[in-house]
């Protein structure tokens, strides 16, 4: 509100300044004409009048052209400031949402761990039951750990302090290993893993594993239980492609560009049912960038989304 009032005030002052200049110019002209009338004869008066008229028009032109330049600069400034303010407001809102969601994400596993430990302390259960409760507690601890790891990785990627430990890796092997060694595997969705052998890229195993897990866990999180998820690694021209396809709700076209921003989550925090922090895809995008690759999202048919990570191959066949 204050911003718009200020803009209105500045534009009004600007218009007022232009009007005064034009008016002053006309006044000067009128006074000079009046003083000429007293002394000059008619033909000289006409000639002088034309000279003065020309001067006045030239000054008007100068005021108009300078005015246009100033006004354009002013409007450009207004536009840039408005954009920056909106960006800042959106980021502040997303940060607030992040704090809300991360505290929520921590609270529920911590409560589950505490409950399990208290129950174990109070009651004497047989060994199987004890084992089950302890492994549930470990599962929740792994979830918290993954959350913390993700937040740390996001901070390091953003601060450019992540050191890439690049080596030649088989993308297919990396994907299979990452998906089979998850400690907090949910088994809620059948995974269809199809990897081509010998798809080698120059990459950092740790961050690539994180990218794979973020994409697959999103597919699991956002699609209804038991819906299959397809994970593919294929060669396409000079690129290695990692594709994750789900049959969930999909992502509206207007959100496709925004979901890779930090803390961005589709919809409103109050209406969102799924857990999350809005960091996963931000991390994936950074990891793609670090590997000179790219990430894109497409619609799956008839429903769902396809996330495609693309990296340059190291084992390119020489082009004939
Ligand atoms: P988070 O999942 O923690 O909210 P992400 O950065 O991983 O954060 O994702 C950003 C947003 O993109 C999510 O909030 C969700 O709305 C949307 N999204 C991501 N993956 C999918 C998917 N596979 N299907 C539908 N929506 C998705």
């Amino acid at each position: 509100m204050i911003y718009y009032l200020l803009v209105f005030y500045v534009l009004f002052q600007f218009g007022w300044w232009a009007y005064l200049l034009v008016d002053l110019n006309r006044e000067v002209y009128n006074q000079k004409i009046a003083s000429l009338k007293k002394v000059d004869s008619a033909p000289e008066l006409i000639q002088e009048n034309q000279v003065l008229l020309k001067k006045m028009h030239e000054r008007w032109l100068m005021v108009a052209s300078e005015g246009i330049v100033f006004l354009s600069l002013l409007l450009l400034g207004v536009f840039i400031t408005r954009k920056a303010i909106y960006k800042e407001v959106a980021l502040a809102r997303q940060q607030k949402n992040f704090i809300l969601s991360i505290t929520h994400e921590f609270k529920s596993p911590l409560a589950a761990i505490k409950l399990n430990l208290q129950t174990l302390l109070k009651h004497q259960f047989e060994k199987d039951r004890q084992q089950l409760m302890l492994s549930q507690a470990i599962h929740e601890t792994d979830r918290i750990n993954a959350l913390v790891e993700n937040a740390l990785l996001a901070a390091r990627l953003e601060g450019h302090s992540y050191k890439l430990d690049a080596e030649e890796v088989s993308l297919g092997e990396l994907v299979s290993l990452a998906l089979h060694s998850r400690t907090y595997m949910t088994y809620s969705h059948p995974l269809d893993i199809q990897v081509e052998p010998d798809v080698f890229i120059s990459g950092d195993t740790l961050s690539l594993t994180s990218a794979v897990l973020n994409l697959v866990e999103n597919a699991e999180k956002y699609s209804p239980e038991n819906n299959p998820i397809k994970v593919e690694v294929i060669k396409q021209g000079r690129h290695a492609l990692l594709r994750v396809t789900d049959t969930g709700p999909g992502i509206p076209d207007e959100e496709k560009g925004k979901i890779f921003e930090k803390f961005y989550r589709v919809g409103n925090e109050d209406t969102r049912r799924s857990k999350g922090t809005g960091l996963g895809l931000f991390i994936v995008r950074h990891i793609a960038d670090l590997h000179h690759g790219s990430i894109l999202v497409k619609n799956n048919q008839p429903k769902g989304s396809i996330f495609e990570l693309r990296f340059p191959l190291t084992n390119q066949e020489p082009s004939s």
Side-chain angles (χ1 to χ4, degrees):
M1 185 69 183
I2 291 173
Y3 170 74
Y4 284 115
L5 274 176
L6 257 172
V7 169
F8 174 76
Y9 176 74
V10 169
L11 288 177
F12 177 75
Q13 283 293 330
F14 185 78
W16 186 239
W17 164 84
Y19 170 76
L20 282 182
L21 269 182
V22 169
D23 198 47
L24 188 73
N25 206 9
R26 193 185 300 117
E27 233 172 70
V28 170
Y29 167 78
N30 286 341
Q31 275 187 5
K32 282 199 174 163
I33 287 291
S35 64
L36 279 179
K37 275 181 188 161
K38 287 176 202 152
V39 286
D40 291 341
S41 61
E44 281 166 342
L45 192 69
I46 293 170
Q47 205 189 358
E48 282 291 325
N49 186 16
Q50 276 172 350
V51 172
L52 285 175
L53 211 59
K54 195 169 165 242
K55 265 192 187 165
M56 185 175 75
H57 286 155
E58 276 173 2
R59 281 197 204 113
W60 277 358
L61 200 71
M62 190 196 78
V63 171
S65 52
E66 283 187 2
I68 288 171
V69 173
F70 279 137
L71 191 65
S72 313
L73 288 175
L74 200 71
L75 289 178
L76 186 73
V78 166
F79 174 73
I80 292 173
T81 323
R82 181 179 173 276
K83 215 171 141 194
I85 290 176
Y86 272 63
K87 210 173 159 189
E88 206 55 38
V89 169
L91 193 68
R93 193 182 312 124
Q94 283 164 10
Q95 253 162 354
K96 192 179 136 225
N97 285 345
F98 169 74
I99 292 171
L100 283 178
S101 46
I102 205 154
T103 32
H104 181 74
E105 293 262 319
F106 271 112
K107 245 175 121 176
S108 35
L110 279 175
I113 294 169
K114 190 174 172 189
L115 187 71
N116 275 12
L117 293 179
Q118 280 176 334
T119 317
L120 279 172
L121 207 67
K122 269 196 205 148
H123 305 281
Q124 286 292 330
F125 293 114
E126 68 266 23
K127 197 143 175 74
D128 285 357
R129 184 84 193 270
Q130 276 182 22
Q131 291 280 330
L132 181 73
M133 291 181 86
L134 284 173
S135 52
Q136 276 172 351
I138 292 174
H139 173 86
E140 297 297 336
T141 320
D142 285 335
R143 256 182 63 190
I144 298 178
N145 196 34
L147 205 69
V148 173
E149 291 290 338
N150 242 17
L152 281 176
L153 184 60
R156 285 167 68 200
L157 287 168
E158 195 185 23
H160 305 286
S161 66
Y162 187 84
K163 224 178 127 346
L164 210 66
D165 193 5
E167 53 181 340
E168 188 160 79
V169 287
S170 157
L171 194 57
E173 268 176 39
L174 182 138
V175 167
S176 306
L177 202 70
L179 294 176
H180 288 123
S181 57
R182 282 194 291 171
T183 45
Y184 43 95
M185 192 113 163
T186 56
Y187 301 105
S188 53
H189 299 75
L191 279 185
D192 175 12
I193 307 175
Q194 296 183 11
V195 296
E196 273 185 30
D198 306 330
V199 182
F200 287 99
I201 64 167
S202 164
D204 168 58
T205 311
L206 203 72
S207 59
L208 286 173
T209 303
S210 165
V212 175
L213 292 181
N214 268 308
L215 289 181
V216 174
E217 279 161 19
N218 271 355
E220 289 175 339
K221 195 160 57 173
Y222 296 109
S223 27
E225 222 165 283
N226 295 323
N227 278 29
I229 290 160
K230 198 167 172 184
V231 185
E232 296 162 281
V233 172
I234 48 175
K235 265 189 211 173
Q236 199 176 71
R238 291 161 176 264
H239 290 98
L241 228 68
L242 164 63
R243 190 184 286 145
V244 180
T245 308
D246 67 57
T247 51
I251 293 163
D253 285 344
E254 64 277 12
E255 303 281 357
K256 283 195 173 81
K258 300 182 196 160
I259 52 173
F260 299 100
E261 287 169 18
K262 191 169 59 169
F263 305 142
Y264 192 84
R265 305 198 69 211
V266 175
N268 185 299
E269 197 62 39
D270 302 329
T271 58
R272 244 175 257 134
R273 275 169 294 131
S274 52
K275 294 171 179 171
T277 54
L279 285 178
L281 293 178
F282 170 78
I283 289 175
V284 176
R285 178 172 60 90
H286 270 276
I287 293 170
D289 288 348
L290 274 178
H291 287 83
H292 309 290
S294 59
I295 170 101
L296 67 88
V297 56
K298 298 191 280 194
N299 294 335
N300 185 27
Q301 293 306 336
K303 75 197 278 268
S305 3
I306 304 175
F307 282 86
E308 248 177 38
L309 261 174
R310 183 180 290 262
F311 302 107
L313 277 173
T314 51
N315 55 340
Q316 294 166 17
E317 266 94 44
S319 50
S320 50

